Amino acid sequence: METSRAIVLTGFGSYDKLRVQEVPVNAPKDDQVRVKVEACGLNFADLMMRQGIYKYSSKPPCVQGMECAGIVEAIGDHVTNLKVGQRVICATGRGAWSEHVVASASHVVPMPDGMSFEEGAAIPVNYGTAYLMLFRCAHLKEGQSVLIHMAAGGVGIAATQLAKSVPNVTLFGTASASKHAVIKEYGIDYPIDYRTTDYEVEVRKISPDGVDIVLDPLAGKDFKKGFNLLRPLGVTVLFGAANLLQENKGYFNLAKQWFQTTSFDPFQLMEKNRTVSGFLLSTLTTHPDTTHAMKELVRLYNEGVVKPRVDSVFSFEEIGEAQKRMHDRLNVGKIILVPRKTKTEPSADADAKTDEKPVEDGEKSNDGATENETKEEATAAAE
């Protein structure tokens, strides 16, 4: 049987539970393709899986990884939309951190000629989440306004770029002050330092009647604040629970955060004409809208709307260092894994000094998303 080098989670725990090992590689079935992987994405959900605190974790030993990009090396008998030698993006859901991946052909799309493998690996989770939240859950329209929490993270940057593809959209974004230059560069009109000001107050200074859409990876008390900021017919999309996971002060405070998320009167939805939506990409891998979103994201890349920000690149053997960079809140944009190359130098602003306390390995992060987003720049999100 053929084998492949892969990052294997050998058990729940610290970085030493991730090891590069040889794993079996199967031939593709009729509706599958096998891809030689050139780059993979790292998401916050991967860190949560390693620690055993992610609901949808596979039981160790297992290969993690939700997305990758590479070259098709074999196809099943019923696959007609892809060919051997083609450069592709794969939304695998799991098992992507391997030199060779077998995936359903419906989860694989061709890469544009100008797209790098690193950019391709940064597309499925962050941009898929942002696209479906904005255009499927919230139905973003011309002239509307959006509040994007953790705007400097992977999902935040993706949502900003996508929202700016709609004319006359106004964007509010929360992030620490050191990230404001970055999020303004990507299109945030009104950056807000959530650590020194009350973002609800700041939004109402500029827009007294609130906003049309809130993208909420926080939950807890911020869920209610976001709900209160909605205009009539507004939508809040809950896609993470950072506030629940950041609670290290005992079960009482955790229960309090949960209660603040769930304890609202459903009749308020009728009275105030507001909508609450939930989103989790990992449970939508077979949904037709997910495949449609991937194809649309490729089109938007070709049009210059979508441009992933790659923070740094690490080899498989450097997986612990890559995850620590994410835990320590040093990345701005996507952390990429590649099978054999050594890491690249991170962007200068990604390593800018910050007065935020690093997250220790094994500690529950204040980031509840999958995405490489921290409390002020979460990824993502709920993945």
Side-chain angles (χ1 to χ4, degrees):
M1 177 178 290
E2 292 185 69
T3 63
S4 174
R5 289 172 65 255
I7 301 172
V8 178
L9 179 64
T10 60
F12 296 129
S14 189
Y15 303 126
D16 62 357
K17 298 297 184 181
L18 292 165
R19 301 173 187 173
V20 179
Q21 299 179 350
E22 294 287 333
V23 299
V25 179
N26 298 319
K29 296 179 181 179
D30 288 347
D31 59 348
Q32 293 180 326
V33 300
R34 191 171 76 175
V35 175
K36 181 180 181 296
V37 174
E38 300 291 340
C40 315
L42 176 64
N43 294 287
F44 202 86
D46 299 315
L47 278 68
M48 297 170 67
M49 289 178 193
R50 191 199 76 232
Q51 296 180 28
I53 58 175
Y54 188 69
K55 180 178 179 181
Y56 302 99
S57 300
S58 297
K59 184 178 179 180
C62 63
V63 178
Q64 292 182 245
M66 307 170 70
E67 57 194 342
C68 63
I71 301 171
V72 176
E73 58 182 5
I75 61 174
D77 291 341
H78 296 166
V79 176
T80 59
N81 61 322
L82 299 166
K83 60 184 180 181
V84 173
Q86 197 165 17
R87 301 164 72 249
V88 292
I89 302 169
C90 307
T92 62
R94 62 187 63 189
W97 294 353
S98 179
E99 286 187 321
H100 304 273
V101 166
V102 174
S104 170
S106 62
H107 299 164
V108 178
V109 297
M111 283 177 55
D113 291 337
M115 181 183 285
S116 70
F117 288 116
E118 291 81 7
E119 289 178 323
I123 291 286
V125 173
N126 291 160
Y127 283 85
T129 293
Y131 182 93
L132 289 168
M133 287 195 302
L134 285 171
F135 301 124
R136 187 63 175 84
C137 297
H139 302 285
L140 177 63
K141 300 178 182 64
E142 180 176 355
Q144 290 189 322
S145 57
V146 186
L147 170 61
I148 301 174
H149 285 296
M150 303 175 178
V155 174
I157 289 173
T160 300
Q161 292 179 353
L162 290 168
K164 280 299 181 181
S165 69
V166 178
N168 302 317
V169 168
T170 301
L171 299 183
F172 299 85
T174 64
S176 59
S178 64
K179 306 297 191 296
H180 283 190
V182 172
I183 64 176
K184 287 183 71 174
E185 172 190 342
Y186 282 99
I188 293 295
D189 299 295
Y190 300 103
I192 301 170
D193 186 351
Y194 71 93
R195 298 183 310 136
T196 60
T197 59
D198 184 330
Y199 64 83
E200 185 176 3
V201 173
E202 293 302 307
V203 168
R204 290 201 181 277
K205 286 180 181 178
I206 299 162
S207 179
D209 60 343
V211 297
D212 297 293
I213 298 168
V214 175
L215 302 184
D216 179 10
L218 302 171
K221 61 183 179 182
D222 291 288
F223 173 80
K224 280 195 169 183
K225 291 179 70 171
F227 183 81
N228 290 337
L229 274 172
L230 290 178
R231 293 170 173 164
L233 302 182
V235 182
T236 184
V237 185
L238 183 65
F239 69 105
N243 286 335
L244 272 67
L245 289 178
Q246 81 175 44
E247 289 297 323
N248 296 312
K249 300 178 182 179
Y251 289 109
F252 175 78
N253 285 293
L254 179 63
K256 180 180 178 181
Q257 290 285 350
W258 178 258
F259 181 77
Q260 288 174 324
T261 304
T262 59
S263 63
F264 70 97
D265 183 356
F267 288 98
Q268 291 180 357
L269 300 178
M270 294 190 298
E271 177 187 351
K272 298 181 180 295
N273 293 288
R274 296 170 180 168
T275 298
V276 174
S277 177
F279 183 84
L280 184 61
L281 184 63
S282 61
T283 60
L284 286 175
T285 54
T286 60
H287 196 284
D289 281 4
T290 303
T291 301
H292 172 76
M294 287 291 293
K295 293 177 180 178
E296 281 296 290
L297 289 168
V298 169
R299 179 182 68 81
L300 292 170
Y301 178 91
N302 286 328
E303 294 178 0
V305 173
V306 164
K307 181 67 174 177
R309 180 189 179 97
V310 175
D311 169 82
S312 49
V313 180
F314 293 83
S315 69
F316 279 4
E317 284 78 9
E318 297 168 315
I319 179 60
E321 188 177 349
Q323 290 206 356
K324 189 175 188 303
R325 180 171 179 81
M326 184 176 290
H327 257 299
D328 289 349
R329 310 179 187 185
L330 296 177
N331 61 295
V332 179
K334 193 76 169 182
I335 294 177
I336 296 295
L337 302 172
V338 294
R340 294 185 182 274
K341 296 178 182 178
T342 57
K343 70 178 181 182
T344 61
E345 290 298 321
S347 57
D349 54 352
D351 278 330
K353 289 184 178 180
T354 175
D355 55 0
E356 296 165 14
K357 176 182 177 293
V359 178
E360 298 298 330
D361 183 49
E363 175 186 349
K364 286 185 178 179
S365 168
N366 62 352
D367 185 318
T370 56
E371 345 269 213
N372 52 347
E373 302 160 327
T374 59
K375 168 63 178 172
E376 77 281 4
E377 53 177 59
T379 108
E383 294 308 314

